[in-house]
Amino acid sequence: MFKDPFARLGLDREVLSVSQLNSRARVLLEDVFAQVWVEGEISNLAKPASGHLYFTLKDGQAQVRCALFRQHASRVRQALRDGLAVKVRGKVSLFEGRGDYQLILDSVEPAGDGALRLAFEALKERLAAEGMFAAERKRPLPAHPQRIGIVSSPTGAVIRDIVSVFKRRAPQVELTLIPTAVQGREATAQIVRALQLADRQGFDALILARGGGSLEDLWCFNEEPVARALAACQTPVVSAVGHETDVSIADFVADVRAPTPSAAAELLAPHSADLRQRLDGLHRQLLLRMRERLARERLRLEACSRRLRHPGERLRQQAQRLDDLDLRLRRAYVIAQNRRRDRLAHLDTRLAGQHPGRQLALLRQRLEQLAERLPRVMQRQLKERQQRLAGTVQTLQIVSPLATLGRGYSILLDERGHAVRSAAEVANGQKLIARLAEGELAVRVLDNHQEPTTLSLLD
């Protein structure tokens, strides 16, 4: 038998394992929320091979995971898909394997306003992306307003409730009604004109108000022209459309959202004594309700702890875990395939970068550059060598004996072509060749004057 789980953990400091904690939390949730109806929009729908269905049910502020097992999924008449608005019935439970809070469903029904909710979410996302819901563009409400404009229908309980609150809390405030239709085809255009007119009147604040109704009845407050007219207002605007649970696009664009028209009037005409008295009352009610709820749930918990759990619970937990592992395996396979595909593309890019055609193009370009440079280099080197040859020829001419011959001298050569440098190298009667600047002469040595010669006195 389980005792009060909160008192037990708080006083005895019992240390639980993770599985024990999840098991106790599951039992507690299933006992408290044995059967609930929840309305929301389907997203992240998964259909594994087991036939079970898993999806997330969400609204504008929160989401919860849902499991619809095969025996109940077969009774759903409408094909489920992401974005579909539905009403579901089931018990609140806990998937112990992951510690996930979830709904175990036994019935799924379509919601009548699914299309409108999809349009609502689409416009909401688009305007949010433009920054129309940003906190920094919100204007604070005046602390002590003197003139307030009310954009609402002149008939009905809404305007009477607002006037009544101001008479009771702030009778000195001047109220002005800017009448407009708040439902029907003409309502959107009339609300836009009324907001524009009220914004030019110099009011300290405006109240855009309407009573409760269905989503279709409140749809004019979800139209884009109304949202843009609110965003263009220079006067602070309090949106009080519908009941506390109703949410419209006008609530997001306005500077302040009030849950009801009367609450909007109280925001602009606050009474500290009333607020303090109400807070004290709510605090007392909360304490009383908490004690009653804890005592009642303690009795239910003790009674439920004596009951034997059907093994089907464990089987469903394991089946859900198996489906979870199957989904994880499929995701891992897809991720691995994408990685291999990316690597193949990377290698293909590298291979294309190493293609010989690119190298050949570079070499061809280099060859063309060298072919263009070769004639210039050859001409330059030929010119340099011609200049060097001319200089060498000039130097040679300076030292050449031919220049000496040109001045009237000659060179004697013997039969072997050797130059004769001394008279002792030749003999009398030897033939020599005398080389002149122009041509040669054959001469004979008559006397080399190496031996004494007797001259005839008669000669």
Side-chain angles (χ1 to χ4, degrees):
M1 179 188 302
F2 291 149
K3 296 181 180 180
D4 185 349
F6 303 101
R8 181 177 179 84
L9 292 177
L11 298 178
D12 298 343
R13 297 181 60 85
E14 177 184 3
V15 178
L16 302 178
S17 66
V18 176
S19 58
Q20 288 175 329
L21 174 64
N22 287 353
S23 178
R24 293 191 184 188
R26 179 179 60 81
V27 171
L28 184 61
L29 286 172
E30 291 178 355
D31 288 340
V32 175
F33 300 98
Q35 187 179 78
V36 294
W37 281 94
V38 183
E39 181 176 348
E41 178 183 306
I42 293 177
S43 65
N44 301 321
L45 179 64
K47 301 179 180 179
S50 62
H52 307 321
L53 299 179
Y54 304 99
F55 56 87
T56 300
L57 194 67
K58 67 178 184 178
D59 58 16
Q61 288 77 32
Q63 62 181 19
V64 62
R65 293 192 179 190
C66 299
L68 182 65
F69 294 110
R70 180 173 53 193
Q71 64 270 28
H72 299 301
S74 60
R75 297 200 297 267
V76 178
R77 297 181 180 179
Q78 186 177 13
L80 303 183
R81 66 181 187 279
D82 286 344
L84 181 66
V86 294
K87 297 178 181 178
V88 300
R89 184 186 66 191
K91 64 180 179 180
V92 179
S93 183
L94 188 81
F95 179 28
E96 296 181 19
R98 285 198 309 266
D100 283 348
Y101 159 76
Q102 62 180 359
L103 288 173
I104 304 298
L105 306 180
D106 55 32
S107 176
V108 178
E109 298 178 1
D113 54 0
L116 292 180
R117 290 193 183 277
L118 291 177
F120 175 90
E121 292 298 332
L123 179 59
K124 177 183 172 184
E125 291 180 5
R126 181 155 55 85
L127 296 181
E130 295 181 18
M132 293 182 65
F133 304 160
E136 54 268 18
R137 63 169 298 276
K138 304 290 185 182
R139 291 174 292 270
L141 298 181
H144 304 286
Q146 298 299 316
R147 298 179 63 245
I148 294 178
I150 304 172
V151 179
S152 184
S153 172
T155 61
V158 171
I159 188 63
R160 291 196 299 271
D161 291 343
I162 295 176
V163 172
S164 174
V165 171
F166 275 98
K167 283 183 177 180
R168 175 171 49 86
R169 298 171 64 92
Q172 74 280 3
V173 177
E174 177 186 340
L175 302 179
T176 301
L177 174 65
I178 298 89
T180 179
V182 292
Q183 182 177 340
R185 295 183 178 180
E186 302 297 328
T188 299
Q190 290 189 25
I191 292 173
V192 171
R193 287 195 297 269
L195 286 172
Q196 294 172 347
L197 175 62
D199 192 39
R200 295 193 295 265
Q201 301 302 311
F203 293 114
D204 297 322
L206 299 177
I207 298 177
L208 177 63
R210 188 210 189 278
S214 65
L215 182 61
E216 291 85 351
D217 295 338
L218 303 177
W219 190 249
C220 57
F221 296 93
N222 295 322
E223 295 286 358
E224 184 174 357
V226 173
R228 297 198 178 277
L230 282 170
C233 284
Q234 300 300 315
T235 309
V237 181
V238 178
S239 174
V241 177
H243 297 304
E244 186 171 357
T245 57
D246 297 323
V247 179
S248 66
I249 296 295
D251 294 335
F252 293 105
V253 181
D255 298 292
V256 177
R257 174 188 180 266
T260 63
S262 297
E266 291 178 357
L267 285 174
L268 292 171
H271 195 288
S272 58
D274 290 345
L275 292 177
R276 188 177 299 108
Q277 182 179 1
R278 184 182 179 190
L279 181 61
D280 293 339
L282 291 175
H283 184 259
R284 289 192 297 270
Q285 291 182 20
L286 179 61
L287 290 178
L288 179 61
R289 297 281 179 87
M290 287 179 62
R291 293 192 185 99
E292 293 176 352
R293 182 66 178 272
L294 288 175
R296 186 169 59 252
E297 298 304 329
R298 185 182 299 111
L299 294 176
R300 290 188 60 186
L301 180 61
E302 292 176 354
C304 292
S305 64
R306 294 190 292 267
R307 290 186 299 178
L308 177 65
R309 290 291 174 183
H310 194 277
E313 294 288 340
R314 183 67 176 173
L315 291 176
R316 282 195 292 271
Q317 289 281 332
Q318 295 300 327
Q320 186 172 355
R321 176 169 174 77
L322 181 62
D323 291 335
D324 181 63
L325 293 174
D326 178 65
L327 292 173
R328 289 172 58 188
L329 179 62
R330 293 176 185 274
R331 286 195 295 268
Y333 176 74
V334 172
I335 292 173
Q337 263 194 332
N338 292 335
R339 287 177 178 173
R340 292 190 180 96
R341 188 178 297 110
D342 293 342
R343 177 165 176 77
L344 179 60
H346 176 67
L347 293 176
D348 184 63
T349 302
R350 289 181 57 191
L351 180 61
Q354 299 296 328
H355 194 277
R358 181 179 179 183
Q359 188 69 18
L360 288 175
L362 293 175
L363 292 175
R364 186 177 296 108
Q365 184 178 1
R366 176 68 175 167
L367 180 60
E368 292 175 355
Q369 293 176 351
L370 292 175
E372 183 180 353
R373 290 173 55 192
L374 181 59
R376 296 197 301 269
V377 173
M378 290 179 61
Q379 291 292 336
R380 186 173 64 252
Q381 291 184 354
L382 181 60
K383 185 175 181 179
E384 291 176 355
R385 294 187 180 185
Q386 287 176 346
Q387 292 176 352
R388 190 188 307 169
L389 177 61
T392 303
V393 169
Q394 184 176 2
T395 303
L396 182 61
Q397 288 179 350
I398 293 173
V399 301
S400 175
L402 297 178
T404 304
L405 296 179
R407 294 195 298 271
Y409 295 91
S410 64
I411 299 174
L412 294 179
L413 305 174
D414 58 15
E415 294 88 343
R416 292 175 298 179
H418 294 166
V420 178
R421 294 179 176 83
S422 173
E425 293 178 1
V426 297
N428 293 332
Q430 183 178 348
K431 291 183 179 180
L432 300 174
I433 297 175
R435 188 169 182 178
L436 307 177
E438 294 181 3
E440 297 177 349
L441 297 176
V443 298
R444 183 184 299 275
V445 178
L446 298 179
D447 189 0
N448 60 2
H449 299 284
Q450 298 297 312
E451 296 180 0
T453 304
T454 303
L455 297 176
S456 176
L457 295 176
L458 299 179
D459 292 337

